[in-house]
Structure formats: structure tokens, C-alpha cells
Amino acid sequence: MKVLVIGGGAREHALCRSLSLDPDVTSLHCAPGNAGIAEVAELHAVDALDGAAVAALAVRLEAELVVVGPEAPLVAGVADAVRAAGIDCFGPSREAAALEGSKAFAKDVMAAAGVPTARSYVCTDPQEADEALDAFGAPYVVKDDGLAAGKGVVVTDDLTAAREHAAACERVVIEEFLDGPEVSLFAITDGTTVVPLQPAQDFKRALDGDEGPNTGGMGAYSPLPWADPQLVSEVLEHVLQPTVDELRKRGTPFSGLLYAGLAITSRGMRVIEFNARFGDPETQVVLARLRTPLAGVLRAAARGTLADIEPLRWSGDAAVTVVVASHNYPGTPRTGDPIEGLDAVATEDAPHAYVLHAGTAQDGDRVLSAGGRVLSVTATGTDLTQARERAYTAVGRIGLDGGQHRTDIAAKAAADA
């Protein structure tokens, strides 16, 4: 199978790494990719938001499967263009991707499907926003209705900050605060059959102790030793399958990766948000534990034959990912800094720990930072404690001027396990 992956972050590096290990994948391509992905796939320049350009590249490469990584190309309809060219594509249509592209649309689908979620108001002007903020009280949860690269949500006790974020968005969803730990659960679906993956937990805040501003995610771990053993089956029954069924009823079947961000509250499970693609950095730990070859599963979703595949096989190991970010992230990040120590990790820590590139660029023999989240250092171990130790040992070998990372990823879960 010839496979083309669209995107250039650590999620796409994780996907390419798994696909490169799949014996059925005879040729692997990525566009635009990054310095790390170049080690396992052939890179190509493309505007990832241009469906015609992506489809033309897939045709030229004679790709048999296209995997669209990021949300923006999906919302822009890239998967539709690829399918129109007669090529199997893993990723939802533009209409179905609105589940992530519009928070208001997602709330409407959840209401129709009976999916438990936070009470909310959709607001389009300051007066509506003020009324909603007053109705729910602090902590205030204000979400940009559109895509915002993981940084469109503000959770704050500061009414002024909540108002400012609402005012900066054309349309916002203001909702009640959900208490309790958060869980990410991915599912692969062909629009009818839903195959859940293993749950993970990510860390959105920039600083240790869940302090600081929201980010795209500073680390993740899997499995969740504290979670109810019935969690996955409950989410499948009450969240994932009803959502997929509702979208199919509407004539906009969802085929691809459905990501449910959940809060395990004192009143039961609630959906915080849906995403229409693999999440970053949770993908890094989930795929580290997946033993079933990936390409066949993704192609079955693209072809509508998921019901025919064997149950997924998982490693009993734990996995931890620690994100190394650039100076000033999640503000305007500094880029162009040399990254040291990548060879040392490959030499000293493989195969239990490895580096997935996010925002990197090749400059001759050097690898430079090229984004906010620069690297995802991922490790596996017999339990979370060993996986953490291996991940942080590898992080310690990496040099990035002004680089930052959290030191407490999976620490509480490991201690409590």
C-alpha cells in the first residue's frame, strides 16, 4: 500500500512512524512533513488547505490511501477532494468535520443525539455574552466557535478576561464549568461501525501543577490506571455511537477519527468537545501502545469495512509523552534555535524512548526550531513510572535555547497507580 500523510506536526510524525513499521506499507509519503518525518517518509511540498493540490499530489504519487492529520484541511474539504479523485481517504468530509469546526454545530448534534455535555449558550454580541457569563458564574468557560489550534478556550475566574476573549471572537460558546479529571478517547469510524482506541490524558496548561495559560498540549500518558474499567464501553454507548448515528441520519456520515474530550464529573461523564482528527499529543502515546498494524485499520475506515477487521491488539506497556516547547510558547514563539541531543536520544534511549518532531526545520546538517511546540519526547515502559523516567531521561539529553517543558506529566497517575 502506498500511503500519503498530510500535515507536519508531531501527530503526523507519530502516524508516519506507525505506518513505517507496518509491513503492508510499501511506500510512505508526507506533505509537507518536517525534519523528523523525513527520516521515515519522502516529503513533498503542498498547500495542505488546497484540496485540489493535495488530490493532484496523491494522484501523481499513485497513493492508495491518504491520511489527513490536522483539522484545518478537513474543515476546508480536503478529504472530499481526495475522494473525488477516486482515492481512499482517512478523514471526514467538510460537512462532518464541522463537528470540530463549529462548537455550536457540535452542541446541536449532541442535543439531538442525547449525548451528555455542559449546558451552554451561543453568543454573537457582548450583551449576550455578559448574560451568559452572569448565568453560569465563575469559573467562566469561553470557547471560540471556530478553529483556534487548541488555544480558543479560556477558563478563568477573571470576568474581565472572559469578556475580552468573548469580544475577540465573532461567535462564542459560553458554558458551565465541568469539574473532575479530563480524558481523551479516540475512535476510528467508517460512519457506521465505531472502534474505540485506548484512552489517554493530556495536559493543556503550560506550567507544572496545571498553572499558566492554555496550550495545544504539553504532554500525555496512557493508560489511565485511575479510570473506571467500563469507561471505554460507556463512552462508546453514550457518546461515540450516538454521535456517529446522528450524523449519518443527517446525511453527513462521519468517516475518520472521532475524538471525544471528556470530563468525568461528580454528576457523571460529560463531553467537553469533539475533534475530527487525531489529537496532539495524545496520539503519540496511544499509537505507541497500538500493536495492530495501522494502515489496514485506516483503510477499512475509508472503505466502510471496519466491521470486518479483527479486534485491535494493544501492548500492556504504558506510554508517556513530554512536549518540549520553544521560548515564549504559547505566546509568539521564538524560532530558528538549533536543537541539540537528538542523536544522543537515538543512540542511548532507543527503542524505549524516541523523539517525534513537531515544529522543526532542516538547515543543512542542523535541525532548528520552527514552531511553538517543537518536539514530543515519547517513551514506553512496563508502567507509568518507568515510562516517565525514560521520557525525562531523553528530555534531559535535548538542548534548545529557551526551551521549556513540564516536569509533572503523568506524575500523579504514576504515584497513585
Side-chain angles (χ1 to χ4, degrees), residues 298-389:
L298 302 187
R299 184 160 64 174
R303 290 184 168 180
T305 59
L306 262 185
D308 300 333
I309 70 168
E310 295 181 0
L312 299 182
R313 292 179 288 109
W314 296 92
S315 164
D317 284 354
V320 171
T321 282
V322 179
V323 171
V324 177
S326 57
H327 176 72
N328 200 45
Y329 179 78
T332 302
R334 189 175 76 204
T335 58
D337 289 313
I339 302 167
E340 309 290 345
L342 296 175
D343 290 341
V345 175
T347 302
E348 302 291 333
D349 302 306
H352 301 297
Y354 49 89
V355 178
L356 298 169
H357 291 231
T360 66
Q362 194 79 39
D363 178 34
D365 293 334
R366 300 190 307 166
V367 176
L368 306 179
S369 63
R373 291 186 294 173
V374 181
L375 305 169
S376 283
V377 181
T378 303
T380 56
T382 55
D383 55 21
L384 286 175
T385 297
Q386 187 179 53
R388 284 191 82 247
E389 290 171 354

Side-chain angles (χ1 to χ4, degrees), residues 200-348:
Q201 186 175 57
D202 76 331
F203 295 76
K204 286 282 192 285
R205 299 287 187 168
L207 306 176
D208 284 2
D210 291 328
E211 299 290 332
N214 254 5
T215 72
M218 293 299 291
Y221 70 93
S222 178
L224 311 182
W226 51 266
D228 187 322
Q230 300 303 312
L231 175 66
V232 173
S233 59
E234 287 182 11
V235 176
L236 176 63
E237 179 182 353
H238 298 293
V239 175
L240 299 169
Q241 192 71 57
T243 300
V244 168
D245 291 346
E246 174 63 24
L247 286 165
R248 189 176 65 254
K249 285 179 199 167
R250 293 179 179 219
T252 57
F254 188 106
S255 169
L257 194 290
L258 178 57
Y259 164 136
L262 307 159
I264 311 302
T265 78
S266 55
R267 291 167 295 140
M269 176 183 59
R270 298 286 186 274
V271 175
I272 301 169
E273 64 176 354
F274 282 126
N275 290 333
R277 39 71 196 182
F278 280 101
D280 184 342
E282 300 98 319
T283 300
Q284 288 85 301
V285 292
V286 172
L287 291 186
R289 300 184 58 226
L290 179 65
R291 288 291 165 264
T292 301
L294 184 61
V297 181
L298 302 187
R299 184 160 64 174
R303 290 184 168 180
T305 59
L306 262 185
D308 300 333
I309 70 168
E310 295 181 0
L312 299 182
R313 292 179 288 109
W314 296 92
S315 164
D317 284 354
V320 171
T321 282
V322 179
V323 171
V324 177
S326 57
H327 176 72
N328 200 45
Y329 179 78
T332 302
R334 189 175 76 204
T335 58
D337 289 313
I339 302 167
E340 309 290 345
L342 296 175
D343 290 341
V345 175
T347 302
E348 302 291 333

Side-chain angles (χ1 to χ4, degrees), residues 92-100 105 247 252-255 276:
S93 66
R94 181 204 304 264
E95 288 181 309
L99 199 63
E100 176 169 6
F105 175 74
L247 286 165
T252 57
F254 188 106
S255 169

